Amino acid sequence: MTKIEFLMSLHDKLAGLPQKDVEEHLSFYSEMIEDRIEEGSAEEEAVSAIGSVEEIAEQIMAEIPLTKLVKEKIRPKRRLSIWEIILLVLGSPVWFSMLIAAFAVLVSLYVVLWSVIIALWAVFISLAVCSGGGVVSCIVFALGGNVTSGAAMLAGGFVCAGLAIFLYYGCVAATKGMGQFTKAILRGIKRCFVKREGAQ
């Protein structure tokens, strides 16, 4: 891939981002390719050494704050006419309340998912505490002369410890998965704004 092809492809992938950011990134990668060529690399080698266009575009997208994309999207491209302003104001009780309701439902679903993970961690902590309590109870009962009850408490403590260890790995995996899910949601929202911008 030549430098021009690389920059054109990157420009297409970044279509929809704020124009200033697109120009800055294109200029940065253009200079990077030029530096490698000046060091003696062939043009194709210099371009391939930078990485794939998809990975670079994904990295740039991840670095740009969502708030910046939202501001760019909602900024009007032209002045609204008086009739458009009147329609927006008159329709605001309907569209604004629907927007709030949709947002509330999505946030509620997200909070419920995190609540499940928090509940799993709470169960893990309870099992860990119960396992320690089983060992302490075993010692207390054994010192009191009730060896059978002490053995039962120790067995219960071991069961709780085993369940806690098993649940710990599940909790870690669920937390990591939820973190990745959160990142995927943010990337998806950014892509929606970028695609809409690029389509205009």
Side-chain angles (χ1 to χ4, degrees):
M1 182 183 286
T2 65
K3 173 187 168 184
I4 298 297
E5 290 171 340
F6 175 86
L7 293 175
M8 287 177 64
S9 178
L10 184 59
H11 182 273
D12 291 343
K13 294 283 183 188
L14 299 179
L17 293 179
Q19 190 60 35
K20 183 182 175 185
D21 290 328
V22 174
E23 290 170 2
E24 284 177 3
H25 285 100
L26 291 177
S27 175
F28 172 77
Y29 284 103
S30 176
E31 288 177 19
M32 188 183 289
I33 293 168
E34 286 299 323
D35 290 343
R36 290 178 184 270
I37 292 171
E38 287 174 9
E39 291 171 1
S41 298
E43 186 176 358
E44 287 79 11
E45 290 175 4
V47 170
S48 63
I50 291 175
S52 72
V53 176
E54 289 77 15
E55 290 174 358
I56 291 169
E58 196 70 32
Q59 182 181 353
I60 291 169
M61 191 90 62
E63 291 171 358
I64 293 180
L66 180 60
T67 52
K68 191 173 188 178
L69 291 175
V70 172
K71 283 180 186 175
E72 186 72 17
K73 178 65 180 172
I74 62 174
R75 183 181 299 151
K77 304 298 180 194
R78 61 178 177 80
R79 284 189 67 139
L80 295 174
S81 69
I82 190 71
W83 294 108
E84 290 171 322
I85 294 170
I86 290 171
L87 287 174
L88 281 172
V89 171
L90 291 176
S92 63
V94 175
W95 65 261
F96 190 66
S97 58
M98 289 177 69
L99 186 66
I100 290 175
F103 180 74
V105 168
L106 292 175
V107 169
S108 299
L109 290 173
Y110 184 73
V111 169
V112 165
L113 290 174
W114 274 112
S115 299
V116 170
I117 291 173
I118 291 169
L120 287 173
W121 279 107
V123 171
F124 160 72
I125 292 169
S126 299
L127 288 171
V129 169
C130 286
S131 66
V135 173
V136 172
S137 298
C138 168
I139 294 169
V140 170
F141 278 113
L143 292 175
N146 197 344
V147 178
T148 308
S149 296
M153 288 295 177
L154 184 62
F158 282 142
V159 169
C160 288
L163 290 172
I165 292 168
F166 177 75
L167 189 59
Y168 171 78
Y169 291 107
C171 289
V172 169
T175 304
K176 285 182 181 176
M178 194 60 187
Q180 292 172 348
F181 178 64
T182 301
K183 288 180 183 176
I185 288 172
L186 290 174
R187 280 196 303 265
I189 292 170
K190 285 182 179 181
R191 281 195 197 106
C192 288
F193 279 102
V194 169
K195 284 179 183 176
R196 287 176 186 171
E197 280 284 327
Q200 288 177 355

